Each structure stands twice: as structure tokens, then as C-alpha cells.
């Protein structure tokens, strides 16, 4: 009888544990930034910064607090990803919900997801803990951030994967126009070819390659290339991400990026059609337990005047330095 009671209690406790299979994780980040070749602020009070997303303020500044609640059932689950702070506001349009979706593992090789999920395009992501560089690239900044819709992920083999999606127009939580977008991703052994199409509703058409290779135990090379066109206006470019680990806690990496506009796309900030920019970002990453410290030197060189110098005169170049602290839990 005692054994029966004990067995029943254990089974009940296991059932309760399964019902409460919710985990909480997240990050917080902050940084200090200053310009080396220019004043930190223009005469109109705006920050002098590259035209990319995030880390655009000078002086001491906040990134975001990111809280992620995850439930994992036997075949179904859900993720609620909430953000607070400037980085989160820029990523979600002030909506505070970075991701909010449910999924169903239909089989071992097929998963259906519905809701708001981060984009599948590009090498970089919104979370600073998942990027090597703290500042972000032009390619990431002007591709999609997130989508609302339904997607299906298929594991075709050990190496091949396929994703198909029907979504609202990118970064739109509500469909007020009746327009939709289509997405697809073909993956092979860590290399991904991504597609996005919404007619001329917002981005138009974008094709993107994202991948990387371990060239040795300590040296990794990441790659990204993209082309986006909406009726003759858009961008194209490529970026490389070589990273060298000198120890378990220290890695040094460079992002080298070339980004070119088609027409007056407005990303670089020159006000001139068909402008381009080359940006080189040197980042060191030092990890202490769950804390990552990232000092970073960034150099942007545009084809036309996009910045100002220390005298407030228009300039093609901007150099800046920042140091960021990111804590994950």
C-alpha cells in the first residue's frame, strides 16, 4: 500500500512538473559610446552615428531588458519574448513584444508555428547576446526584423532543411491593407538561402545568403550577402565576420561590410542616389560567467558626405568607439 501511495505521489509530482514546464531567460545590456572623428552631437542636438539600428546614442546609454518565457510540452509549446528599452523599442516599434508564437511538432521532421517570430533573413539578430558585434550592420538594419504569420519547418535530411511561410508585410503586427508576404528558407549544413516577397507593399523582394565555416578549432568565418529591390529602389551588399578565439573567455573579431543603395534608398544618409558605404568594426568579447564585455571600434567610409567631423563640417567618414556590457540569465 505504501509503495502504491509513493508511486502515485511520484507520478502526480511528475505530472505537475510537466504542467509547469516553463523556463524564464533573458538579457540586459548597456553601453558607453563616443565618436573619435566627430562631435558626439550635431548642432541640432541629434546624435552623430551611422545609419544602422541600435547603439546610436553617445555617452552612457541603455540597450534593453529582454525577458523570454518558454513552455515546452510533448508536442506543442509557446514563446513569449518581451522587451523594454531603446533597443527593444527600435526593434518592435514600441510594441514591446519581440516574439509571441505557439508551435506544434506535427512529426519528428515537421513543425508548424503561428504568431510573431524574429526574421529568418540575415546574419545578425535583435538580441545583443546572440551577435558578436554590438553595433549592427547595414544589411541587418534594413532587412526585416520580425514577421507575423504562419510558417512550416521541414527537416528534409540530416543536412537539408526547408522553411515556408505566409505572413503579414514585414514588421507589421496587424494587417490593415489586406497585403501579405511570402517567405522561404533552404538550409544545408549550416548554410542558408533565404527569400522574402511582398510585391511592392514594403520591401518588395529580398534574397539573402547567411552562413559560416569553422576554418579551425579557434577560427570562424561568418558570411552574409543580400539583395533587396522594390521597383528599382533597394540595396545590395556583403559582409564577412572573421572571429579568432584566443581562450575560452576571449574572442577577437572583425565585421567588414560593403553596402550600396539603388536609387535614394535613404539608409546611409547622403541624400544622393546610388550611394555606398564600407564599414569595418573591430570587436573584442570577454566573458566572465554570464557577463560579456565588448569594447568596439567602428569605422564608416561613405561614397558621399553622410557624417560630420569635429568641426561640424560634412564628411564621408566617421569613427567611433563603444564599450558594452551584456548580461544573460
Amino acid at each position: 500500500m505504501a509503495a502504491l501511495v509513493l508511486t502515485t505521489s511520484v507520478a502526480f509530482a511528475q505530472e505537475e512538473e510537466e504542467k509547469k514546464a516553463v523556463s524564464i531567460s533573458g538579457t540586459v545590456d548597456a553601453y558607453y559610446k563616443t565618436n573619435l572623428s566627430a562631435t558626439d552631437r550635431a548642432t541640432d542636438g541629434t546624435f552623430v552615428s551611422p545609419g544602422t539600428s541600435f547603439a546610436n546614442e553617445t555617452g552612457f546609454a541603455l540597450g534593453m531588458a529582454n525577458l523570454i518565457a518558454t513552455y515546452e510540452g510533448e508536442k506543442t509549446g509557446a514563446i513569449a519574448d518581451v522587451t523594454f528599452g531603446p533597443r527593444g523599442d527600435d526593434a518592435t516599434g514600441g510594441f514591446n513584444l519581440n516574439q509571441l508564437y505557439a508551435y506544434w511538432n506535427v512529426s519528428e521532421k515537421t513543425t508548424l508555428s503561428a504568431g510573431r517570430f524574429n526574421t529568418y533573413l540575415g546574419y545578425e539578430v535583435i538580441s545583443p547576446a546572440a551577435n558578436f558585434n554590438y553595433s549592427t550592420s547595414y544589411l541587418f538594419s534594413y532587412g526585416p526584423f520580425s514577421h507575423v504569420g504562419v510558417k512550416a519547418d521541414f527537416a528534409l535530411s540530416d543536412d537539408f532543411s526547408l522553411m515556408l511561410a505566409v505572413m503579414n508585410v514585414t514588421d507589421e503586427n496587424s494587417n490593415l491593407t489586406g497585403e501579405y508576404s511570402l517567405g522561404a528558407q533552404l538550409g544545408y549544413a549550416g548554410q542558408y538561402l533565404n527569400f522574402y516577397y511582398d510585391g511592392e507593399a514594403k520591401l518588395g523582394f529580398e534574397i539573402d545568403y547567411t552562413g559560416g565555416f569553422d576554418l579551425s578549432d579557434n577560427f570562424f568565418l561568418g558570411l552574409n550577402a543580400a539583395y533587396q529591390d522594390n521597383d528599382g529602389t533597394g540595396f545590395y551588399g556583403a559582409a564577412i565576420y572573421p572571429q579568432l578565439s584566443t581562450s575560452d573567455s576571449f574572442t577577437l573579431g572583425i565585421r567588414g561590410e560593403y553596402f550600396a543603395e539603388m536609387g535614394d534608398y535613404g539608409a546611409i544618409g547622403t541624400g544622393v542616389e546610388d550611394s555606398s558605404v564600407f564599414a569595418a568594426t573591430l570587436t573584442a568579447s570577454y566573458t566572465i560567467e554570464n557577463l560579456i564585455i565588448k569594447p568596439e571600434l567602428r569605422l564608416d567610409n561613405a561614397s558621399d558626405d553622410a557624417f560630420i567631423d569635429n568641426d561640424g563640417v560634412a564628411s564621408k567618414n566617421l569613427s567611433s568607439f563603444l564599450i558594452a556590457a551584456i548580461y544573460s540569465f
Side-chain angles (χ1 to χ4, degrees), residues 29-326:
D29 64 288
Y31 64 96
Y32 172 82
K33 179 182 175 183
T34 187
N35 291 324
L36 305 178
S37 64
T39 178
D40 285 349
R41 293 200 181 199
T43 54
D44 61 0
T46 57
F47 295 107
V48 178
S49 187
T52 53
S53 299
F54 316 142
N56 289 326
E57 299 183 17
T58 51
F60 291 102
L62 301 177
M64 70 178 185
N66 187 199
L67 296 174
I68 305 170
T70 303
Y71 173 79
E72 294 185 32
E74 184 177 347
K75 288 191 174 182
T76 63
I79 290 179
D81 181 348
V82 183
T83 63
F84 303 93
R87 189 182 185 108
D89 289 344
D90 289 346
T92 66
F95 202 69
N96 295 117
L97 282 175
N98 184 29
Q99 299 189 95
L100 184 67
Y101 67 90
Y103 64 87
W104 172 26
N105 295 320
V106 180
S107 69
E108 291 183 357
K109 295 186 176 182
T110 303
T111 299
L112 298 178
S113 303
R116 178 185 172 100
F117 42 87
N118 286 161
T119 189
Y120 53 94
L121 289 95
Y123 183 87
E124 300 176 19
V125 295
I126 293 169
S127 170
N131 288 336
F132 183 80
N133 306 100
Y134 187 74
S135 68
T136 53
S137 67
Y138 289 88
L139 289 172
F140 167 75
S141 299
Y142 294 95
F145 280 168
S146 299
H147 311 278
V148 174
V150 178
K151 66 174 181 172
D153 290 279
F154 305 96
L156 303 180
S157 69
D158 290 341
D159 290 326
F160 277 102
S161 64
L162 175 67
M163 186 278 295
L164 300 173
V166 178
M167 309 163 290
N168 290 343
V169 173
T170 181
D171 297 311
E172 298 291 341
N173 291 306
S174 302
N175 190 327
L176 301 178
T177 63
E179 296 174 306
Y180 293 91
S181 63
L182 301 175
Q185 179 187 77
L186 180 64
Y188 174 73
Q191 316 305 311
Y192 299 95
L193 191 60
N194 306 304
F195 303 89
Y196 172 90
Y197 177 76
D198 65 20
E200 296 179 5
K202 194 167 186 179
L203 287 185
F205 170 75
E206 182 170 350
I207 182 171
D208 168 273
Y209 161 72
T210 302
F213 301 92
D214 290 310
L215 300 182
S216 72
D217 290 341
N218 300 321
F219 188 69
F220 173 78
L221 178 64
L223 301 169
N224 185 209
Y227 174 89
Q228 184 259 315
D229 180 28
N230 189 348
D231 194 24
T233 301
F235 66 81
Y236 58 92
I240 60 172
Y241 298 80
Q243 297 160 16
L244 176 65
S245 298
T246 61
S247 69
D248 291 340
S249 59
F250 186 81
T251 303
L252 189 65
I254 297 174
R255 176 180 61 214
E257 179 186 20
Y258 176 77
F259 180 91
E261 299 179 351
M262 296 185 294
D264 185 11
Y265 189 71
I268 303 171
T270 62
V272 178
E273 292 189 357
D274 301 329
S275 291
S276 62
V277 62
F278 175 77
T281 306
L282 174 64
T283 305
S285 181
Y286 180 63
T287 303
I288 312 167
E289 295 180 346
N290 292 347
L291 176 66
I292 306 174
I293 305 221
K294 290 184 182 285
E296 183 170 287
L297 176 66
R298 175 167 176 159
L299 308 173
D300 287 70
N301 184 4
S303 60
D304 302 280
D305 290 339
F307 313 106
I308 62 172
D309 61 19
N310 276 311
D311 297 321
V313 178
S315 173
K316 297 180 181 178
N317 306 305
L318 179 67
S319 59
S320 58
F321 172 80
L322 68 78
I323 182 166
I326 306 160

